[in-house]
């Protein structure tokens, strides 16, 4: 099995697949994370850390904020620039952000905090945030209360994010003191090709040996056949979005 480090940096080789397979974020979740820093009398300045292909970046831009996108993988940022015009991009990690002190109102991470060193990333987020700024963390997770979705996860293997959520959710470290959280439930219409792109964008699948990858795809094909995701037919994949926020003292 690939190491955690190899998994965390595996996405750039499949940036187009990631862009096709991963969902965007509900506008309500982004608004809730940014709510504590609204009303500053100017445009909000937000760092999207672990920005990937820009799924969360676009949602932040739609809220009228100025965004800088940061990711450890240059390939992901190249895809982001093709999809989100005018957003500055920098190669960097949550533990060492290429930003000056007190530079932004919010640091947001989508599908990314489970990869970080929590004490180092918490301290670095605090460094680049203004006093009263917000650290926001958000994940889209498939809703496994639906039996066929649970079987799909079993075929693909659970992710680090799913394991973290099952274990009680994310943690933060000093100077942040705990997290507020909210949940949204929604569905995403997907074809068979979309479902396969989603599976192929996962770090476990990207780093799997060929035989294991073939086993995963056979299992996913069986679930798709079962629910009628055949050809161009559309099925609704249920999602749970969980967002968390903490204020910098």
């Amino acid at each position: 099995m690939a190491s955690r480090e190899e998994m965390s940096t595996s996405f750039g080789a499949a940036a187009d697949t990631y862009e096709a397979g991963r969902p965007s974020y509900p506008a309500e979740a982004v608004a809730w994370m940014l709510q504590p820093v609204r009303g500053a009398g100017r445009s909000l300045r937000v760092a999207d850390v672990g920005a990937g292909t820009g799924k969360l970046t676009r949602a932040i831009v739609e809220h009228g904020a100025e965004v800088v996108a940061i990711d450890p993988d240059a390939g992901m940022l190249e895809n982001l620039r093709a999809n989100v015009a005018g957003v500055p991009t920098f190669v960097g990690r949550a533990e060492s952000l290429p930003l000056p002190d007190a530079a932004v109102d919010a640091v947001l991470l989508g599908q990314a905090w489970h990869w970080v060193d929590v004490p180092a990333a918490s301290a670095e987020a605090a460094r680049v945030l203004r006093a009263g700024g917000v650290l926001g963390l958000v994940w889209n997770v498939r809703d496994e209360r639906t039996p066929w979705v649970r079987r799909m996860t079993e075929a693909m293997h659970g992710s680090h994010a799913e394991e973290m959520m099952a274990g009680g959710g994310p943690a933060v470290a000093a100077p942040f003191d705990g997290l507020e959280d909210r949940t949204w439930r929604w569905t995403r219409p997907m074809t068979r090709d979309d479902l396969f792109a989603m599976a192929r964008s996962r770090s476990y699948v990207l780093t799997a040996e060929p035989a294991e990858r073939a086993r995963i795809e056979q299992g996913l094909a069986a679930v798709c056949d079962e629910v009628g995701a055949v050809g161009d037919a559309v099925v609704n994949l249920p999602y749970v979005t969980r967002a968390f926020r903490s204020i910098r003292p």
Side-chain angles (χ1 to χ4, degrees), residues 134-147:
V134 65
L135 173 62
L137 317 174
V138 62
W139 286 266
N140 291 319
V141 181
R142 292 173 312 285
D143 191 344
E144 294 183 358
R145 296 178 304 172
T146 303

Side-chain angles (χ1 to χ4, degrees), residues 98-116:
L99 297 173
D101 295 353
V104 294
D105 301 292
V107 172
L108 303 188
L109 292 90
Q111 311 292 130
W113 190 254
H114 54 284
W115 295 119
V116 310

Side-chain angles (χ1 to χ4, degrees), residues 78-94:
E78 181 180 356
N79 190 291
L80 184 152
R81 288 190 294 272
N83 290 299
V84 192
V87 171
T89 62
F90 297 93
V91 173
R93 295 179 176 274

Side-chain angles (χ1 to χ4, degrees), residues 42-60:
R42 52 173 172 74
S43 295
L44 294 179
R45 295 173 182 167
V46 180
D48 180 7
V49 180
T53 63
K55 294 288 185 176
L56 180 57
T57 312
R58 277 165 278 196
I60 300 169

Side-chain angles (χ1 to χ4, degrees), residues 10-228:
S10 65
F11 301 106
D16 290 341
T17 300
Y18 189 103
E19 172 62 21
R22 296 299 181 101
S24 58
Y25 295 89
E28 297 86 352
V30 178
W32 180 80
M33 288 189 291
L34 295 177
Q35 186 274 329
V37 289
R38 288 288 185 192
R42 52 173 172 74
S43 295
L44 294 179
R45 295 173 182 167
V46 180
D48 180 7
V49 180
T53 63
K55 294 288 185 176
L56 180 57
T57 312
R58 277 165 278 196
I60 300 169
V61 168
E62 288 170 3
H63 279 75
E66 300 175 14
V67 189
V68 57
I70 300 166
D71 196 89
D73 195 312
M76 296 291 269
L77 292 176
E78 181 180 356
N79 190 291
L80 184 152
R81 288 190 294 272
N83 290 299
V84 192
V87 171
T89 62
F90 297 93
V91 173
R93 295 179 176 274
E95 299 86 351
S96 181
L97 294 170
L99 297 173
D101 295 353
V104 294
D105 301 292
V107 172
L108 303 188
L109 292 90
Q111 311 292 130
W113 190 254
H114 54 284
W115 295 119
V116 310
D117 177 294
V118 170
S122 296
E124 186 68 346
R127 180 186 68 79
V128 304
L129 281 169
R130 299 184 176 94
V134 65
L135 173 62
L137 317 174
V138 62
W139 286 266
N140 291 319
V141 181
R142 292 173 312 285
D143 191 344
E144 294 183 358
R145 296 178 304 172
T146 303
W148 71 266
V149 178
R150 188 164 57 251
R151 289 193 293 276
M152 185 169 63
T153 297
E154 290 168 356
M156 294 187 299
H157 191 279
S159 70
H160 286 294
E162 290 155 0
E163 292 166 1
M164 182 193 67
M165 291 300 181
V172 291
F176 298 99
D177 183 18
L179 291 161
E180 301 177 73
D181 68 280
R182 287 280 302 275
T183 298
W184 293 263
R185 299 185 185 277
W186 54 285
T187 60
R188 181 187 181 199
M190 300 184 75
T191 65
R192 188 186 191 93
D193 285 348
D194 295 333
L195 290 167
F196 269 85
M198 179 270 296
R200 291 167 179 161
S201 75
R202 292 162 62 87
S203 60
Y204 180 83
V205 179
L206 286 168
T207 57
E209 295 295 328
E212 173 67 1
R213 193 176 300 118
R215 183 200 65 77
I216 291 168
E217 297 212 351
Q218 289 171 0
L220 182 58
V223 175
C224 286
D225 291 344
E226 172 192 339
V227 299

